């Protein structure tokens, strides 16, 4: 069908240029974000272990040029059958035993933290999906204790609004109502925290209706006591808003992610979202993301509604551009009859943090056979029409999404081909033969990154029914054609390139053909049709840019920092849990497992400890993969401790009171380390759990403790009790075994002091001997 071609007027070019300038306020507004999952994601090689799946996929994402990965919610849900959007316990990242499992759909907490560390080692930011509008699953694994008969009814949840959580001080010994209602985990919730409550009505708008569970009431007066819980702490003003704010700051510090995707933002107040984002960006201490932190909200609506929400949250987050997405869907359904000349008006106006996209897990819900192949579409649960990767015009939509302003999101199933290979649930992510890419998508991603689209201003250079051309100023021309069989040959396309510049098509559709810029920046270009008849099989797009450009885009490998808060209302000491968390106990040297890191040998593991009672000495222990202590340090106050690992793998961090007469205390342990880029996730992980006080002396009768370590002036040595009344000798040697210093310890002393002011800075071995007893410790 013959269609009219017309040039884009300069007045519109100038307006788009001004929008580009606004969009560049935030440097994150150019990242390519991969959605790292599909709806109901699963792989039988990684059962309840999607973190491990992504860990093994990470090196391929780096090679492809992915900037950031959006990961699903990973707090404990109602069960591992949930994909993350049915949140139960905000402070359980897969370390507590509740809801009949330690793991979430993502795996356990250790595996989650490792995945984030490996992504950062590969130069990939992690975007955490968070759910802020509801919680669900009140009650024990059997539902016991979840219902509060005194609650006001929302008509949907049958008054199941008692939320109580296991913790280090209150593990789940059974699943009865009595046990559940006595659990003292952090951020318990009562019926007044949800709609309806005595001050706030229910169910007459998007914000106060229980679409997916008890719907959170963020009003300052939404607080009160449970009608039947044993553990029933007093709540105060702004309980839910303060509690969620504190959780998000804890979450960012603990996990080390870089940005957020916020689910269903129209279902809770924008003022609450702005509060949470400001604090994540500016009030998370060392973990503050700054105002440029990546943040995007999911608001399904018109472009004007998206712009209004962006403004309401003070542009601390952008939105997925559903207005543009609906237009891209129309290109598919138009079957060649869509007017491409109108596409530029579809994008939202507020583009400071906009996220153009083609598909996500809400717009793409295929029905599957047993092998995971497409059999149809679950249109009742997906938003709008799907854009299938094999549709002849799908590449047109992605070329547009990657060319316009914003931080484009790529859906997992659009980059990776899992729709018809009969191995959706059984492939190995590191194997490109088992998990191949869609060629056009891989090429467009390469072009976006290596031709540096977002370093050039945005100009619309051609608008016609079957042809649309965007220039990223002096970087590339991205040209699309939605006709199925006819090439579009455009003459005299205006560009910013200087005359004489030789352009080539990096899509490969035009082979090795080149075009030379002439006449004050004009160039003639060709765009292939959508039937795949072009060279390289490209469908409906070409990318013209100066010849001679090769792969040049890479992101540096990064360290990760993660912080554990050691308190009794966090963690779990149940034998079925990871047995991590808890404050140091009173008058006891019982240890507490902080957590684990998966470190490479390239950089040391740096550990910082921040006690709440600085006067009391705390001992830090580093254990290897076999639970053997490989290094230790003891000191009062803030400590910084560096350990060089001898292998790539798991290391466990534990702490204990240095002296048994110390009062207990809360403390924070922060680690900075570098994970390896390539990891086989089947490495054995031991718990290295702590013993109870009843058995600690039996298990450690010969323990030799020193502090502070590192030491500058005086080293203190605490002797094992079995040496009481004996004469002991010590020797300090260097790491070559050469004797440096010796001395004697008189009988009856339980502690000795050794001056080291005469030693040069370095690492030494302290040997203590008495009869049959000989022990070494590094200092």
């Amino acid at each position: 069908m013959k269609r009219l071609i017309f040039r884009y007027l300069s007045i519109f070019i100038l307006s788009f240029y001004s929008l580009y300038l606004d969009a560049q306020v935030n440097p994150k507004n150019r990242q390519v974000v991969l959605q790292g999952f599909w709806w109901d994601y699963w792989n039988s090689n990684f059962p309840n272990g999607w973190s491990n799946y992504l860990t093994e996929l990470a090196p391929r994402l780096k090679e492809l040029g992915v900037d950031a990965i959006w990961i699903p919610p990973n707090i404990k849900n109602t069960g591992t059958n949930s994909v993350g959007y049915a949140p139960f316990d905000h402070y359980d990242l897969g370390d507590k035993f509740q809801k009949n499992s330690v793991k979430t759909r993502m795996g356990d907490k250790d595996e989650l933290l490792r995945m984030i560390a490996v992504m950062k080692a590969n130069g990939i930011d992690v975007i955490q999906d968070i759910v802020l509008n509801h919680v669900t699953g009140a009650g024990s694994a059997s539902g016991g204790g979840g219902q509060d008969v005194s609650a006001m009814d929302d008509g949907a949840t049958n008054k199941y609004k008692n939320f109580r959580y296991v913790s280090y001080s209150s593990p789940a010994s059974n699943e009865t109502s009595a046990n559940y209602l006595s659990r003292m985990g952090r951020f318990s919730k009562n019926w007044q925290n949800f709609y309806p409550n005595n001050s706030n009505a229910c169910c007459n708008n998007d914000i106060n209706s229980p679409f997916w569970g008890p719907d959170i009431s963020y009003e300052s007066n939404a607080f009160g006591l449970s009608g039947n819980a044993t553990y029933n702490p007093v709540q105060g003003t702004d309980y839910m808003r303060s509690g969620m704010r504190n959780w998000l700051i804890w979450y960012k510090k603990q996990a080390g992610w870089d940005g957020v995707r916020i689910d269903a933002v129209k279902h809770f107040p924008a003022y609450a979202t702005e509060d949470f984002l400001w604090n994540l960006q500016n009030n998370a201490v060392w973990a503050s993301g700054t105002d440029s932190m990546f943040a995007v909200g999911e608001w399904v609506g018109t472009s004007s509604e998206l712009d209004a929400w962006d403004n309401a949250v003070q542009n601390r987050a952008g939105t997925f551009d559903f207005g543009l997405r609906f237009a891209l869907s129309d290109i598919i359904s138009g079957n060649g009859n869509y007017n491409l000349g109108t596409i530029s008006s579809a994008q939202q106006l507020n583009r400071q943090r906009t996220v153009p996209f083609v598909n996500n897990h809400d717009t793409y819900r295929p029905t599957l056979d047993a092998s995971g192949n497409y059999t149809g579409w679950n249109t009742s649960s997906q938003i709008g029409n799907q854009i299938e990767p094999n549709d002849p015009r799908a590449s047109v939509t992605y070329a547009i999404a990657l060319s316009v302003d914003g931080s484009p999101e790529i859906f997992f199933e659009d980059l990776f081909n899992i729709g018809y290979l009969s191995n959706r649930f059984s492939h190995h992510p590191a194997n490109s033969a088992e998990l191949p890419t869609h060629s056009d998508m891989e090429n467009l991603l390469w072009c976006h990154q290596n031709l540096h689209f977002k370093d050039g201003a945005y100009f619309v250079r051609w608008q016609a029914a079957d042809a649309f051309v965007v220039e990223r100023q002096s970087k590339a021309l991205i040209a699309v054609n939605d006709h199925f069989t006819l090439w579009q040959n455009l003459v005299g396309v205006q560009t910013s390139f200087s005359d004489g510049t030789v352009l080539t098509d990096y899509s490969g559709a035009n082979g090795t053909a080149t075009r030379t810029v002439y006449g004050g920046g004009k160039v003639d270009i060709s765009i292939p049709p959508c039937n795949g008849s072009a060279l390289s099989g490209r469908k409906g797009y070409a990318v013209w840019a100066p010849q001679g450009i090769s792969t040049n885009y890479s992101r540096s490998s990064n360290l990760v920092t993660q912080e554990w808060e050691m308190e009794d209302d966090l963690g779990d000491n149940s034998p079925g849990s990871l047995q991590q968390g808890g404050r140091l106990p009173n008058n006891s040297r019982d240890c507490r497992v902080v957590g684990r890191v998966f470190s490479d040998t390239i950089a040391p593991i740096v550990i910082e400890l921040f006690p709440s009672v600085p006067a009391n000495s705390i001992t830090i222990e580093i254990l290897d993969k076999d639970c053997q202590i490989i290094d230790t340090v003891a000191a009062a106050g803030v400590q910084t401790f560096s350990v060089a690992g001898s292998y790539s793998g798991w290391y466990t961090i534990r702490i204990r009171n240095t002296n048994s007469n110390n009062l207990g205390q809360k403390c924070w342990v922060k680690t900075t380390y570098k994970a390896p880029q390539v990891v086989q996730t089947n490495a054995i992980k031991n718990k290295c759990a702590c013993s109870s006080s009843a058995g600690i002396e039996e298990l450690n009768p010969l323990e030799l403790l020193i502090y502070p370590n590192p030491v500058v002036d005086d080293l203190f040595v605490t002797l094992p009790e079995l040496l009481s009344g004996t004469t002991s000798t010590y020797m300090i040697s260097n790491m070559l075994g050469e004797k440096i210093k010796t001395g004697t310890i008189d009988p009856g002393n339980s502690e000795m002091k050794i001056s080291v002011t005469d030693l040069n800075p370095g690492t030494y071995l302290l040997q203590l001997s008495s009869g049959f007893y000989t022990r070494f410790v590094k200092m």
Side-chain angles (χ1 to χ4, degrees):
M1 180 174 61
K2 187 175 181 180
R3 293 181 177 174
L4 206 58
I5 297 175
F6 59 91
R7 303 287 177 85
Y8 195 60
L9 299 179
S10 60
I11 185 171
F12 291 107
I13 294 173
L14 292 174
S15 68
F16 277 103
Y17 183 54
S18 66
L19 286 173
Y20 168 83
L21 293 176
D22 290 340
Q24 297 308 296
V25 171
N26 178 10
K28 296 290 186 183
N29 197 22
R30 59 182 62 206
Q31 284 190 314
V32 176
V33 179
L34 174 71
Q35 180 172 0
F37 61 102
W38 63 89
W39 183 249
D40 209 20
Y41 56 91
W42 183 264
N43 187 289
S44 58
N45 298 305
F46 307 89
N48 294 324
W50 197 251
S51 291
N52 293 335
Y53 178 97
L54 295 178
T55 294
E56 297 199 8
L57 181 62
R60 291 189 64 194
L61 301 184
K62 175 182 176 66
E63 183 180 2
L64 288 165
V66 170
D67 291 313
I69 184 167
W70 158 19
I71 64 173
N74 41 55
I75 67 173
K76 186 64 59 67
N77 273 217
T78 52
T80 54
N81 60 312
S82 172
V83 296
Y85 296 93
F88 170 67
D89 184 353
H90 292 87
Y91 286 94
D92 184 351
L93 301 183
D95 56 311
K96 304 180 186 183
F97 186 83
Q98 54 185 343
K99 295 296 184 182
N100 284 329
S101 177
V102 173
K103 291 190 174 186
T104 69
R105 191 70 166 260
M106 291 289 288
D108 68 30
K109 181 179 180 178
D110 295 335
E111 293 163 343
L112 171 67
L113 300 187
R114 174 176 64 182
M115 180 270 292
I116 293 172
V118 170
M119 286 294 172
K120 294 181 77 68
N122 281 279
I124 299 169
D125 287 351
V126 177
I127 310 304
Q128 179 63 65
D129 202 331
I130 56 175
V131 180
L132 298 173
N133 60 305
H134 67 276
V135 292
T136 191
S140 68
S142 61
Q147 189 179 52
D148 186 344
V149 295
S150 64
M152 296 175 67
D153 195 1
D154 59 19
T157 60
N158 199 22
K159 302 185 179 182
Y160 273 82
K161 297 185 177 182
N162 276 328
F163 288 88
R164 296 296 185 271
Y165 309 117
V166 303
S167 66
Y168 197 88
S169 61
S170 59
S173 57
N174 58 61
E175 297 300 322
T176 64
S177 294
N179 182 277
Y180 175 81
L181 291 170
S182 66
R183 297 173 186 175
M184 297 184 288
R186 186 173 298 184
F187 203 15
S188 59
K189 303 168 188 70
N190 302 327
W191 68 266
Q192 296 93 335
N193 306 141
F194 307 98
Y195 298 107
N197 51 57
N198 292 326
S199 303
N200 302 287
C202 167
C203 316
N204 55 25
N205 58 49
D206 283 333
I207 288 180
N208 65 16
S209 299
F211 292 107
W212 301 282
D215 200 64
I216 295 173
S217 177
Y218 281 110
E219 288 82 2
S220 60
N221 53 11
F223 62 90
L225 294 175
S226 167
N228 58 334
T230 308
Y231 177 65
N232 206 5
V234 174
Q235 297 183 355
T237 301
D238 268 330
Y239 181 78
M240 289 303 293
R241 186 171 168 185
S242 297
M244 204 68 82
R245 180 194 307 125
N246 293 337
W247 165 66
L248 284 166
I249 293 172
W250 170 89
Y251 196 8
K252 192 172 191 305
K253 289 179 178 179
Q254 172 66 95
W257 37 257
D258 303 278
V260 290
R261 180 265 184 188
I262 311 173
D263 187 59
V265 294
K266 70 164 60 175
H267 296 289
F268 53 97
Y271 66 76
T273 308
E274 196 275 335
D275 176 353
F276 303 147
L277 289 170
W278 185 91
N279 279 276
L280 285 173
Q281 292 165 346
N282 300 287
N283 195 37
V285 198
W286 61 267
S288 295
T290 76
D291 287 340
S292 67
M293 183 189 82
F294 182 94
V296 60
E298 181 211 24
W299 180 293
V300 182
T302 65
S303 294
S304 61
E305 288 175 321
L306 303 181
D307 292 340
W309 185 84
D310 290 345
N311 294 334
V313 298
Q314 308 298 315
N315 287 306
R316 297 195 176 279
T319 41
F320 291 101
D321 194 340
F322 269 92
L324 177 65
R325 201 276 171 182
F326 293 142
L328 298 178
S329 177
D330 289 342
I331 292 175
I332 302 299
S333 61
N335 200 31
N337 294 310
Y338 182 84
N339 183 355
L340 287 179
T342 65
I343 196 71
S344 62
S345 62
Q347 196 178 14
Q348 67 179 110
L349 293 178
N350 187 334
R351 303 177 194 175
Q352 293 188 43
R353 295 175 182 264
T354 186
V355 176
F357 76 105
V358 172
N359 280 318
N360 64 33
H361 67 288
D362 285 323
T363 68
Y364 199 82
R365 298 275 181 94
T367 56
L368 307 171
D369 64 19
S371 299
N373 293 339
Y374 303 147
T375 60
W377 303 97
N378 193 345
T379 55
S380 63
S381 68
Q382 72 182 24
I383 300 171
N385 296 322
Q386 71 284 345
I387 298 178
E388 216 243 289
N390 292 325
D391 188 284
R393 294 174 178 80
S395 299
V396 173
T397 65
Y398 261 107
I400 294 170
L402 270 74
S403 69
V404 300
D405 282 337
S407 180
E409 174 257 313
I410 299 174
F411 183 52
F412 189 97
E413 298 198 41
D414 292 336
L415 179 58
F416 294 109
N417 182 8
I418 59 172
Y420 298 104
L421 300 183
S422 300
N423 67 348
R424 174 186 294 266
F425 306 121
S426 61
H427 64 266
H428 293 84
N431 188 325
S432 59
E434 294 186 25
L435 182 65
T437 59
H438 289 288
S439 178
D440 281 9
M441 191 66 255
E442 182 176 350
N443 172 254
L444 280 167
L445 177 55
W446 187 95
C447 290
H448 182 281
Q449 303 295 53
N450 293 282
L451 303 180
H452 302 278
F453 284 7
K454 299 302 168 61
D455 288 345
Y458 173 66
F459 295 97
V460 174
R461 292 304 194 182
W462 199 283
Q463 288 176 292
D466 282 332
F468 179 70
V469 181
V470 166
E471 182 190 355
R472 303 307 308 208
Q473 187 178 26
S474 301
K475 297 296 180 184
L477 293 172
I478 304 95
V480 296
N481 166 22
D482 73 341
H483 199 285
F484 189 69
T485 58
L486 297 181
W487 283 74
Q488 300 297 309
N489 299 303
L490 309 184
V491 177
V493 178
Q494 183 64 52
T495 75
S496 300
F497 295 109
S498 58
D499 288 356
T501 302
V502 178
L503 306 182
T504 190
D505 178 12
Y506 284 87
S507 78
N510 287 274
T512 59
T514 60
R515 302 286 190 270
T516 301
V517 179
Y518 66 91
K522 295 181 175 61
V523 68
D524 306 334
I525 62 173
S526 299
I527 320 169
C530 296
N531 61 3
S533 61
L535 295 173
S536 303
R538 298 293 179 236
K539 297 179 180 179
Y541 77 94
V543 182
W544 294 90
Q547 65 178 356
I549 300 174
S550 59
T551 299
N552 57 60
Y553 184 81
S554 65
R555 287 167 59 89
S556 61
S557 180
N558 293 314
L559 303 174
V560 68
T561 300
Q562 294 163 336
E563 180 181 276
W564 287 259
E565 181 182 343
M566 303 299 290
E567 181 58 293
D568 281 345
D569 63 351
L570 299 173
D572 187 1
N573 71 3
S574 165
S577 73
L578 293 187
Q579 294 183 276
Q580 298 177 6
R583 64 163 44 208
L584 291 174
N586 290 328
N587 303 316
S588 171
R589 296 199 61 255
D590 282 4
C591 73
R592 296 288 184 264
V593 175
V594 175
R596 282 171 201 88
V597 299
F598 198 95
S599 181
D600 204 351
T601 57
I602 295 175
I605 305 168
V606 178
I607 302 170
E608 299 173 80
L609 183 142
F610 303 90
S612 57
V613 184
N616 292 347
S617 178
I618 297 174
T619 299
I620 307 173
E621 301 170 345
I622 308 299
L623 290 75
D624 67 13
K625 61 184 184 301
D626 300 315
C627 299
Q628 298 299 308
I629 296 176
I630 58 174
D631 216 339
T632 183
V633 62
V638 175
Q639 299 186 43
T640 299
F641 183 28
S642 179
V643 181
S646 59
Y647 61 89
S648 292
W650 292 112
Y651 294 85
T652 299
I653 305 168
R654 299 196 314 205
I655 57 173
R656 65 172 84 234
N657 285 322
T658 303
N659 301 305
S660 59
N661 59 353
N662 282 355
L663 293 177
Q665 62 171 302
K666 171 182 178 177
C667 57
W668 294 262
V669 180
K670 184 172 72 171
T671 65
T672 301
Y673 63 99
K674 184 180 182 299
Q677 292 184 358
V678 180
V679 171
Q680 295 295 318
T681 59
N682 57 0
I684 295 175
K685 174 167 63 75
N686 294 308
K687 278 188 181 181
C688 304
C690 290
S691 307
S692 66
S693 58
I696 190 169
E697 293 304 324
E698 296 177 13
L699 291 172
N700 300 285
L702 306 179
E703 189 171 14
L704 176 66
L705 297 171
I706 65 174
Y707 67 94
N709 190 11
V711 57
V712 176
D713 298 316
D714 294 323
L715 178 72
F716 294 89
V717 183
T718 301
L719 306 179
E721 291 184 6
L722 62 85
L723 296 186
S724 177
T726 65
T727 299
S728 305
T729 61
Y730 72 87
M731 179 178 72
I732 297 176
S733 59
N734 61 24
M735 297 306 289
L736 298 176
E738 299 169 335
K739 181 170 63 176
I740 304 297
K741 190 172 186 174
T742 61
T744 301
I745 305 171
D746 294 333
N749 287 351
S750 61
E751 187 173 83
M752 62 175 289
K753 180 174 73 173
I754 303 174
S755 174
V756 296
T757 55
D758 54 338
L759 301 184
N760 293 324
T763 302
Y764 297 85
L765 288 176
L766 171 67
Q767 173 185 327
L768 188 69
S769 302
S770 179
F772 70 89
Y773 175 92
T774 300
R775 283 292 180 274
F776 294 87
V777 62
K778 187 190 295 185
M779 58 179 249

